[in-house]
Amino acid sequence: MPSEALPEAVLSLVDQAETTEEEIDIEFIQQDVNELITDCREGTERIKKIVEDLKHFAHPGEDRMTETDINKGLESTLNVVYNEIKYKATVTKDLGDLPMVYGFPQQLNQVFMNILVNAAQAIEKSGEITIETELVDQMVEVRISDTGRGISPEHLPRIFDPFFTTKDVGKGTGLGMNIAYNIIKKHNGDIQVKSTKGKGTTFIIQLPADADPGEAGSPDPAMTASA
């Protein structure tokens, strides 16, 4: 039917529809919807990854030493504390090929979390956190470095003491590094810290590769407290 034959009211509605279509830009919305769907899918995948990492991080019911993938533990822990780090630092990883380590994964992940959160908190505005792993003389070595404010030389000898903290009042219990120290010693390992005031800090963890799973005791619930 020719447009001239249409009632005036219908023509008015057609004009309004055409005007509305121009105003809302249907093609742009269709393109935008596709982008939104892609973003939603990516968000869903990220949520799925976080849930998986939380499960790996927590290891509920883990009451005996098991073969532990240190690199996987670091990756999972990093994803769990991502929100604590993302606004403060860029993270660089150099993870070497490592043998499995016998240990309590939940406790080792707690160590990594305490150090990573402290690293982020030590960076005032923006900086870098570097995570490196390698096998050194049959010891699995983990190095976590930051470009934060560093630790004063007089404080370094006390950094693993219980209740010692360099944070402001109310911002730390002073137990995080002591817990980390006790967990690593429980795994027959070693943990050291090197720091330069104003330049940054590096924590170095060494764990025996392929150690006898009977060499360490049972997990201690007290060692799951946060920094």
Side-chain angles (χ1 to χ4, degrees):
M1 181 183 294
S3 60
E4 294 81 1
L6 292 173
E8 185 176 341
V10 174
L11 288 173
S12 177
L13 289 173
V14 171
D15 288 340
Q16 290 180 28
E18 291 176 348
T19 301
T20 301
E21 182 179 357
E22 291 175 0
E23 289 177 349
I24 63 177
D25 195 347
I26 291 295
E27 291 184 3
F28 174 78
I29 289 178
Q30 289 175 334
Q31 180 182 354
D32 199 38
V33 165
N34 290 333
E35 291 178 356
L36 286 172
I37 291 173
T38 300
D39 289 343
C40 288
R41 286 176 176 170
E42 290 177 354
T44 301
E45 287 299 315
R46 176 156 179 77
I47 291 171
K48 178 183 176 182
K49 182 69 166 59
I50 289 173
V51 171
E52 290 174 351
D53 286 335
L54 282 170
K55 288 180 179 178
H56 183 268
F57 177 87
H59 281 271
E62 200 71 76
D63 59 356
R64 60 185 178 83
M65 296 189 81
T66 61
E67 283 193 333
T68 303
D69 186 331
I70 293 298
N71 286 340
K72 185 176 180 180
L74 283 163
E75 294 276 16
S76 296
T77 305
L78 188 59
N79 203 35
V80 169
V81 301
Y82 177 71
N83 281 341
E84 186 80 26
I85 294 174
K86 65 179 180 180
Y87 299 114
K88 303 288 289 294
T90 56
V91 178
T92 300
K93 295 176 292 184
D94 183 8
L95 307 182
D97 292 328
L98 301 176
M100 301 296 277
V101 169
Y102 278 103
F104 301 107
Q106 181 185 13
Q107 291 187 10
L108 293 173
N109 290 347
Q110 181 72 51
V111 173
F112 303 148
M113 184 182 76
N114 288 359
I115 295 174
L116 286 168
V117 170
N118 279 0
Q121 292 176 346
I123 296 171
E124 295 182 358
K125 292 184 179 179
S126 64
E128 297 180 8
I129 294 174
T130 303
I131 304 172
E132 301 169 290
T133 62
E134 65 175 328
L135 185 65
V136 180
D137 297 329
Q138 293 306 305
M139 298 290 284
V140 170
E141 185 168 289
V142 179
R143 296 184 297 275
I144 301 177
S145 305
D146 66 69
T147 57
R149 56 180 172 268
I151 304 169
S152 300
E154 63 270 21
H155 291 156
L156 276 175
R158 301 183 58 199
I159 203 68
F160 298 116
D161 290 353
F163 304 108
F164 177 79
T165 180
T166 59
K167 299 176 184 177
D168 296 336
V169 176
K171 292 188 177 181
T173 63
L175 290 174
M177 289 301 98
N178 177 255
I179 289 170
Y181 178 87
N182 288 330
I183 289 174
I184 296 304
K185 289 300 181 182
K186 184 183 183 70
H187 285 76
N188 300 317
D190 186 51
I191 180 169
Q192 300 177 17
V193 58
K194 297 180 180 179
S195 187
T196 301
K197 187 68 175 175
K199 292 187 177 180
T201 301
T202 298
F203 281 89
I204 303 168
I205 298 168
Q206 289 189 321
L207 295 164
D210 299 320
D212 184 348
E215 291 179 2
S218 300
D220 185 350
M223 290 187 179
T224 59
S226 60

